[in-house]
Amino acid sequence: MKDSKFSAEYTNAVNNISLPADYKEKILSALREEDKKLQRNSSEKNTEIIELTNSEDNTFDNPYNTEKTTKRTKFNIKKFIPAVASVAAAIVLVIAAVLLLSRKPLVPTETTFNFSVASATNLGNISGARLVFKDSSGELLKDEDGEVLTAYTDANGNVSVTLPSTEEYTAQVTVDGYIAYETSVQNKNIYISPVMNEDTYRAVLTWEKDCDLDAILTMTKGEEKEQLFYFKSDIKDEQGQVIAALDVDSQTASAPETITFNATEDAIFRYSVASYSALKESDDNNLTASGALVTLYKGDKLVGKYKVPESTLGNAWCLFEINDSQLEIKNEIYSVDAIIDVK
C-alpha cells in the first residue's frame, strides 16, 4: 500500500523537527500504522453517501409542494484527508516536544579536568610540569593528529585538559629534578617529590576526609627512642646532622604531610600515621575512613603506594619498618591514648 498524502505530510513534519533518529522512527512507525487503518476504512466507505439533516439550516421551500423538503448533502470522506493530515502533523509536533522534554540529558562526550602540581616538600607550585594521560589499558591518549596528548603547567603550576568521557584515566606527571608520579585524573591537587640521594627515603601522606592526620617517624637506637612529628620537626645524629625532617605538616586534607629521612644501619625506623581528630573525638573509625594514602620514595624511584586498611578500627597505623637497611611493610592498625604512645 502506497503512502497517502497524509503519510507524506506527517513524514515531512516529523523530519523537520530536531529529534534523535530512534525517536523519529518510533513516531513515524506508530503514525504509519494509523494511516494504513485510515486508508482501509476510507476504501471501504468511499462510495457511501453521508446524509446530514438539519431541520433549520438544510431545508428549502419547494414551489410545487407546500411541505418543506429536507436537503441532502453529498460528499466523499477523502475530501477531509488534508484536514486530518494537518491535525496529525500538529499532534506529531506535540508528541515530539513531550519526548524531547522528558528525554534524559545526553552523557557529555568530553570532560575538562583542572590540575595543580606542587612540590611535596614545600608545597611550591611547579611550572612546566609535563602531563600525559593513559586509558584503562595503559595506552597513552593521542590527539587528532596521532600525537601523544600532552599538557604543561603554567607559572602557577596549573593546567586544564579536556578528555573524552568514555572511561577512567590516569595522569602521569614528569619534570626535571622530580620523581615521575602517576595518579587518577580525579586527583586535582598533585604533589610530586624531588629526586634524593640513593639512600634517602621520603613518605608523603595524603588523605580525603576532612580530618587531621599526623605522620610520625620513630627512631629506636638501643634503649633510646626518638620521635618526629608535628611538635618536633627533626631528628639529628650524634654529630648534630639532621637525619630526618618533617618537611610539611598539614592539618587538613588540602595538603600532604611529608617526612624525609636517612635510614642508618645502627637504628630501627618505624613510620606510622595517627589520627589527631580520632584522639580528640574518641572515634576509632576516623583513621580507617579517612582514605589515607602513603606514597613512599627512595632515591629517584617510587617504592610504592599504600592505602590505609578499611576493615580494622583504630587510631594509629604502623605502615613500615626499616631495620638494618631492610624495608618491611607492617600495615598494622591499633589504638593509642596519645600521639607519643605510637610505637
Side-chain angles (χ1 to χ4, degrees):
M1 181 179 292
K2 295 182 179 179
D3 287 347
S4 65
K5 180 180 179 182
F6 169 64
S7 177
E9 288 197 19
Y10 71 61
T11 299
N12 289 335
V14 173
N15 287 330
N16 285 333
I17 61 178
S18 177
L19 280 174
D22 55 339
Y23 276 50
K24 288 184 179 182
E25 184 54 37
K26 289 179 181 179
I27 294 171
L28 289 173
S29 178
L31 291 176
R32 195 173 289 116
E33 290 301 318
E34 291 300 320
D35 184 39
K36 289 178 181 179
K37 292 180 183 179
L38 180 60
Q39 290 189 63
R40 285 196 294 269
N41 292 338
S42 63
S43 177
E44 294 172 0
K45 298 180 180 180
N46 62 359
T47 58
E48 293 183 6
I49 302 299
I50 298 177
E51 297 182 359
L52 298 179
T53 303
N54 189 307
S55 59
E56 295 180 357
D57 299 329
N58 293 323
T59 60
F60 63 95
D61 291 333
N62 185 338
Y64 303 101
N65 195 329
T66 57
E67 295 180 356
K68 291 188 180 289
T69 303
T70 301
K71 181 180 179 180
R72 296 178 182 271
T73 304
K74 300 179 181 180
F75 61 92
N76 194 301
I77 195 170
K78 286 185 176 181
K79 294 180 180 180
F80 286 86
I81 288 179
V84 174
S86 298
V87 174
I91 294 173
V92 168
L93 293 174
V94 172
I95 294 173
V98 171
L99 289 173
L100 193 61
L101 290 174
S102 62
R103 187 165 173 257
K104 292 182 179 180
L106 294 174
V107 176
T109 57
E110 294 182 326
T111 303
T112 299
F113 297 92
N114 300 308
F115 302 101
S116 175
V117 180
S119 171
T121 58
N122 60 18
L123 308 185
N125 298 328
I126 300 175
S127 63
R130 178 176 182 264
L131 282 77
V132 295
F133 306 90
K134 296 181 180 179
D135 60 21
S136 56
S137 64
E139 294 293 324
L140 288 171
L141 293 186
K142 297 184 178 180
D143 59 22
E144 296 177 353
D145 299 323
E147 301 294 329
V148 174
L149 183 62
T150 306
Y152 293 89
T153 56
D154 60 20
N156 296 315
N158 300 320
V159 64
S160 295
V161 181
T162 300
L163 303 176
S165 301
T166 53
E167 57 181 292
E168 291 293 325
Y169 301 99
T170 57
Q172 185 181 68
V173 185
T174 55
V175 63
D176 289 344
Y178 289 80
I179 302 171
Y181 186 76
E182 192 167 305
T183 184
S184 167
V185 293
Q186 304 298 332
N187 185 8
K188 297 180 180 180
N189 298 315
I190 302 174
Y191 299 96
I192 58 179
S193 169
V195 171
M196 303 169 288
N197 295 328
E198 62 179 6
D199 294 327
T200 303
Y201 286 89
R202 177 170 292 127
V204 181
L205 168 66
T206 57
W207 62 98
E208 301 168 1
K209 186 178 178 181
D210 186 17
C211 60
D212 184 4
L213 301 187
D214 287 308
I216 302 165
L217 184 70
T218 303
M219 184 186 76
T220 303
K221 187 174 182 180
E223 298 296 325
E224 297 180 2
K225 184 175 80 170
E226 194 169 355
Q227 287 184 314
L228 180 155
F229 46 105
Y230 66 91
F231 62 79
K232 187 176 186 303
S233 60
D234 61 42
I235 295 176
K236 298 177 181 179
D237 62 13
E238 295 175 352
Q239 287 73 40
Q241 298 294 318
V242 174
I243 59 174
L246 177 63
D247 300 305
V248 178
D249 175 41
S250 177
Q251 297 181 12
T252 67
S254 61
E257 190 144 320
T258 305
I259 290 178
T260 302
F261 63 98
N262 292 317
T264 59
E265 295 183 0
D266 57 349
I268 299 173
F269 292 82
R270 293 171 63 91
Y271 177 88
S272 303
V273 176
S275 173
Y276 186 73
S277 297
L279 286 168
K280 291 191 300 182
E281 301 166 6
S282 300
D283 179 10
D284 279 355
N285 187 51
N286 182 278
L287 174 60
T288 55
S290 67
L293 174 71
V294 175
T295 304
L296 180 62
Y297 303 93
K298 183 181 181 184
D300 61 354
K301 295 180 176 58
L302 170 70
V303 176
K305 295 181 179 181
Y306 308 94
K307 195 84 172 180
V308 63
E310 298 179 356
S311 58
T312 306
L313 297 181
N315 55 28
W317 171 33
C318 176
L319 175 56
F320 64 82
E321 179 178 288
I322 299 175
N323 188 1
D324 195 20
S325 301
Q326 297 300 310
L327 172 66
E328 180 182 358
I329 303 300
K330 295 290 187 178
N331 212 25
E332 299 173 349
I333 297 287
Y334 59 99
S335 292
V336 296
D337 295 326
I339 294 291
I340 59 174
D341 294 331
V342 172
K343 300 176 183 178

